Amino acid sequence: MKHSVQTKKITLMLAFMFTVTWSGAVGTTANDGPSPIVIKEATVQGIPRTSSIEAIINGHQLTVTFSENLGNVQVEVTTATGGTVDLTDLWTPNSYIAYIPNTGDYVVTITLGNGDEYYGEFEVTD
């Protein structure tokens, strides 16, 4: 009888540990809020403007914010393999918001009017 009680305690303890571990794993795979996207210089002829461009991904929503007047810019979102998801021209300072429908790896490319190009790589997860 004593062996049976000890076996039950161990089984309950393992079940509890599994539940706690599983709960923690579920929490880490969910989107915990916006994630910054590092903007890098691709080709820059003028003054680097990376400090004027901020990009974040929050779930399936991409937001690119321009904090100063950079003139007319083109924002292109592509899959990691090069397929176009969105292409937009806008005047700055302003923000660009796009909904990325599918999970996967993406690239956002920002091209300024003078040809300077910046990019950031990001991942959309569920």
Side-chain angles (χ1 to χ4, degrees):
M1 186 85 164
K2 189 174 185 181
H3 180 66
S4 167
V5 171
Q6 189 174 10
T7 303
K8 286 181 184 178
K9 285 182 181 180
I10 291 172
T11 303
L12 286 172
M13 184 177 73
L14 288 173
F16 176 71
M17 287 174 55
F18 174 75
T19 303
V20 169
T21 303
W22 182 70
S23 300
V26 170
T28 58
T29 58
N31 186 4
D32 293 329
S35 298
I37 299 169
V38 177
I39 299 297
K40 302 173 187 172
E41 301 168 5
T43 57
V44 178
Q45 303 165 39
I47 300 168
R49 302 291 187 180
T50 51
S51 63
S52 303
I53 305 167
E54 178 184 304
I56 59 171
I57 187 71
N58 189 5
H60 288 262
Q61 181 176 303
L62 169 67
T63 304
V64 181
T65 304
F66 301 92
S67 61
E68 67 179 77
N69 185 354
L70 301 176
N72 189 30
V73 301
Q74 182 181 69
V75 181
E76 181 178 21
V77 179
T78 60
T79 62
T81 58
T84 300
V85 176
D86 192 33
L87 180 63
T88 302
D89 288 325
L90 66 118
W91 284 96
T92 61
N94 208 340
S95 292
Y96 162 82
I97 298 172
Y99 179 78
I100 312 298
N102 300 316
T103 60
D105 295 323
Y106 293 88
V107 178
V108 59
T109 304
I110 299 114
T111 307
L112 306 186
N114 67 357
D116 288 359
E117 197 171 85
Y118 301 87
Y119 73 98
E121 300 169 345
F122 63 99
E123 181 181 9
V124 175
T125 60
D126 275 337

